[in-house]
Amino acid sequence: MKASHQWLKALVPGLTADAKTLAARFTGAGLEVEAIHEYGAGAESCLLAWVVSTRPHPTKSGLKLVTVDRGHATQEVVCGAPNVPEPGAVVVLAPLGAHLPAKNMTIARREIGGVASEGMLCSESELGLSDDASGIIVFPAGFAEPGAKLVDVVPEARDTIFEIGLTPNRPDGLGHVGLAREAAALFRIPWQVPAPESPLKRTDRAVAQDLDVVIEDAERCPHYGASIVTGAAIATSPPGVRHRLSALGVRPISNVVDVTNLMLLEHGHPMHAFDADKVRGGRIVVRRAKPGEKLVTLDGETRTLDADDLVIADAEGPIALAGVMGGASSEITPATKRIVLECAYFDPRGVRRAARRHGLHSESSHRFERGIDHGDTARVLEHATAATCRLAGGAASRDFLLRVAKEIPAVHVKLRAERMQSLLGVAIPIDEAKSTLERLGFACKVHENALDAIVPTHRPDVTREVDLFDEVIRVRGIDTVPAELPAVRATRAAGSAGPGGREAMFRRVRRAASSLGLAEALTFGFTSRKMLAALGAPAPITLANPLTEDFDAMRTSLLPGLLDALARARRYGVPDVRMFTTGAIFLGLETERASFAAVLAGERPSYLTKPSVYDAWDASGVATALLARLVHAPVAIVPLRSDAPKHLHPRGAAAIMLQNTRIGVVGPLHPDVLHALDLANVQTVELDLDALDALGIGHPAYTPIPRFPAATRDIALVVKDEIPVGDVLATLRETARPLGSRVEIFDRFTGGAVPPGHASLAFHVVYQADDRTLTDAEVDAAHDKLVAEMQKKFGATLRA
């Protein structure tokens, strides 16, 4: 929305704020001013001059020497414009020293073909008034006294324009009256909506004598207003009107069409003008289109109408697509003498559908789609009728016709001061809230510490109590809300037994993962169905209206977001990635699980060794180390073969087991998945944090430093390949108790003296007691027991 600072000051006489101050207040109140432009900056230093005489340049063909009267003196100017007028006309003169920002030039004395020129006759383009560079600006004789400043005679030739980024819920800001109301409220200036002026001349005929209006679809058009102007003369609008429209990005067309555009820009209420003599049968019917009906719109395109389209029709067929664009058959032309002015209210949803269906996004549909003021139809119609009579001459009908097919009830909203304070965090007296809302056009009555507000018709976005809170605080100023940390309680997952609930669990997991050197990725809860299908994840909940096709489903796995982040890192030249994320996965409308996922890709960090890629052992190590930081219990990594998840390679997939419960999986992505995602060698770790939390295992806790020394024994066991290392490790830990305080694997070897189909597994076993120093005999006995148990359970042999 473009807005004129000059127009706003005219609508709010008490407004003295400069453009920057007003822009800052608008932005602080939610009407963001994205840019400020100076319109017609070159006009400030220009004068109006009378043409005294013209003659050809003595040496330069195509140039003329123009003598002008600038009030106190005459001077000669060289001009090459094709439209140099005859003596008596008025032109715009840029005198010596005048600066024209639009062309970045300062007027200086120049000699052209031996003739001195001490000034320049200007076009609209050179003054920054429009793009028209076809000729100089020419006014009729007697337009102004010679030497008068252009901006004094045509104030609209100099303005400051705001570009306001309105959110869709603020249709009242799409007109200068709405912005004026906002400015008056922000600066506490008494203000009323400007009353419409009366037409200069009226006829004795009522509208109903010349025009019959019928509304057949009350839902899509609750009311429709019309007036008639006869004896009008279609011509070019005066300079002030043309410059006002040009400053706001609207192309001037003719005086009557310009009036409808002025009403749109002033009131935010679109209007349309019909040639009354082209409204066949003197009848206007607001109805749904008949399937297959044709309409040639003002852009020259022939539209095939749909049964859902609302049209304005005459006795023979459609003459406009309601709320979107008029028809060519009834448009205003230079021959038009009788005019029907239309001002109506159309249902926003119907206009939106029609505009999208026909690919027509007009200034009219832009406003109707958001919801215009349905209570200002009569006022805007009368204002437009008077403006048409003033600019085009003629006489207005004795009255205007307003057909009401359906009453739109007023909206009542209650505001409670206590509730407002609890949400805003600041105590606002109920009288202040009442005063603020009344300045914005609300009608309020106070009842104890609450008020009942009747929402004005120009604010269709206000329907709830919190909407009133928003109005009060944005006018008061968001900066008046004290900066305080909110009292937030951590949510607790369903069935969660841990202290602090789910958020506390996520924090512990994030700290643990970060301590392992993993970088955290923040991923979306939405993802792509294609990505989930490629990973073989459970079927997701799909979205009926997704933002994009890449976010059309709720995630049932955390891997899609991580893999997308991995692909992004690769595109930015980061090949080696160690990354994790936490969050909920959604397995149904009422089922979500707290989860953790990590990916390792590229090469592991190396020092004094050759670089090597991540493998399944790295992923297994991440899972083991992470759980060691989260729970005080041994973890087993159990290989998965036939029952491996579809997205993991069966030769590297493994289950993460804790107390005989599967809480996650680890392993490399399947080659088919890597190919589908255009990736290579990605190791993954996935944990079900809710399953982990449900086990109720205590967290690792501090233990005092042992007072007595430990004894370490290494043991190398030769076992069959198919025996899981995790089973051997778990048995060693169990058998070594109570003296065995720690068991760790440090080597796996095949080949050499190890028989085929077997592997040598080497472990450190640490023996230690809390109350004494162990003797060699105690350690040897415990170790012999350990070896015997391994031989008995796994058929293991000691490797020499």
Side-chain angles (χ1 to χ4, degrees), residues 55-262:
R55 60 190 177 94
H57 194 285
T59 61
K60 296 285 187 179
S61 62
L63 299 182
K64 290 185 178 181
L65 303 182
V66 184
T67 302
V68 297
D69 179 359
R70 54 180 296 178
H72 61 277
T74 60
Q75 66 181 77
E76 195 169 54
V77 180
V78 178
C79 182
N83 65 329
V84 175
E86 295 298 319
V90 178
V91 292
V92 178
L93 172 68
L96 295 179
H99 182 65
L100 306 181
K103 300 297 181 182
N104 193 25
M105 61 186 297
T106 301
I107 305 301
R109 186 179 185 279
R110 294 176 60 196
E111 283 201 4
I112 302 174
V115 179
S117 180
E118 297 185 343
M120 185 176 78
L121 303 186
C122 300
S123 68
E124 289 191 355
S125 172
E126 289 160 338
L127 298 185
L129 299 176
S130 74
D131 295 331
D132 185 6
S134 61
I136 61 174
I137 302 171
V138 179
F139 297 113
F143 178 76
E145 291 298 319
K149 287 188 176 183
L150 173 60
V151 293
D152 290 340
V153 179
V154 187
E156 294 85 357
R158 179 71 179 96
D159 205 346
T160 300
I161 305 301
F162 304 121
E163 282 194 23
I164 304 177
L166 290 173
T167 51
N169 67 313
R170 290 301 305 274
D172 60 304
L174 289 170
H176 280 71
V177 167
L179 295 175
R181 180 187 294 107
E182 194 78 11
L186 293 173
F187 289 93
R188 296 178 175 272
I189 300 171
W191 186 80
Q192 288 184 343
V193 178
E197 57 186 299
S198 298
L200 299 176
K201 185 179 180 181
R202 288 190 182 274
T203 68
D204 292 331
R205 291 182 67 83
V207 175
Q209 292 178 259
D210 298 309
L211 187 69
D212 181 26
V213 174
V214 177
I215 301 175
E216 293 186 357
D217 192 333
E219 291 297 326
R220 296 281 291 275
C221 179
H223 56 251
Y224 186 98
S227 67
I228 296 178
V229 175
T230 58
I234 307 303
T236 301
S237 293
V241 173
R242 288 188 284 110
H243 294 323
R244 174 144 289 174
L245 291 174
S246 296
L248 298 172
V250 177
R251 180 174 62 90
I253 297 175
S254 67
N255 46 13
V256 173
V257 176
D258 291 349
V259 165
T260 62
N261 285 328
L262 282 174

Side-chain angles (χ1 to χ4, degrees), residues 5 7-18 21-22 25-26 177-194 435-441 475:
H5 185 217
W7 201 350
L8 290 176
K9 289 196 295 183
L11 289 170
V12 188
L15 182 62
T16 59
D18 59 30
T21 302
L22 181 57
R25 291 301 301 272
F26 273 161
V177 167
L179 295 175
R181 180 187 294 107
E182 194 78 11
L186 293 173
F187 289 93
R188 296 178 175 272
I189 300 171
W191 186 80
Q192 288 184 343
V193 178
S435 172
T436 300
L437 292 173
E438 287 177 339
R439 293 202 305 274
L440 292 172
V475 172

Side-chain angles (χ1 to χ4, degrees), residues 4 34 38 151 158 187 229 273-274 333 360 391 417 465 476 531 568 577 605 621 624 630 640 660 735:
S4 159
E34 297 175 339
E38 297 300 328
V151 293
R158 179 71 179 96
F187 289 93
V229 175
F274 299 100
T333 67
L360 280 173
L391 296 182
E465 184 180 28
R476 191 178 205 256
M531 178 78 85
R568 184 185 298 271
V577 172
T624 304
L630 296 176
L640 297 171
N660 296 320
T735 308

Side-chain angles (χ1 to χ4, degrees), residues 63 97 171 203 261 348 372 448 504 546 575 579 596 672 782:
L63 299 182
T203 68
N261 285 328
I372 63 167
E448 297 180 354
M579 196 157 40
F596 166 92
D672 293 343

Side-chain angles (χ1 to χ4, degrees), residues 3 189 260 291 404 492 507 523 541 690:
I189 300 171
T260 62
V404 179
R492 182 179 294 276
R507 285 196 295 270
T523 58
I541 302 169
D690 279 343

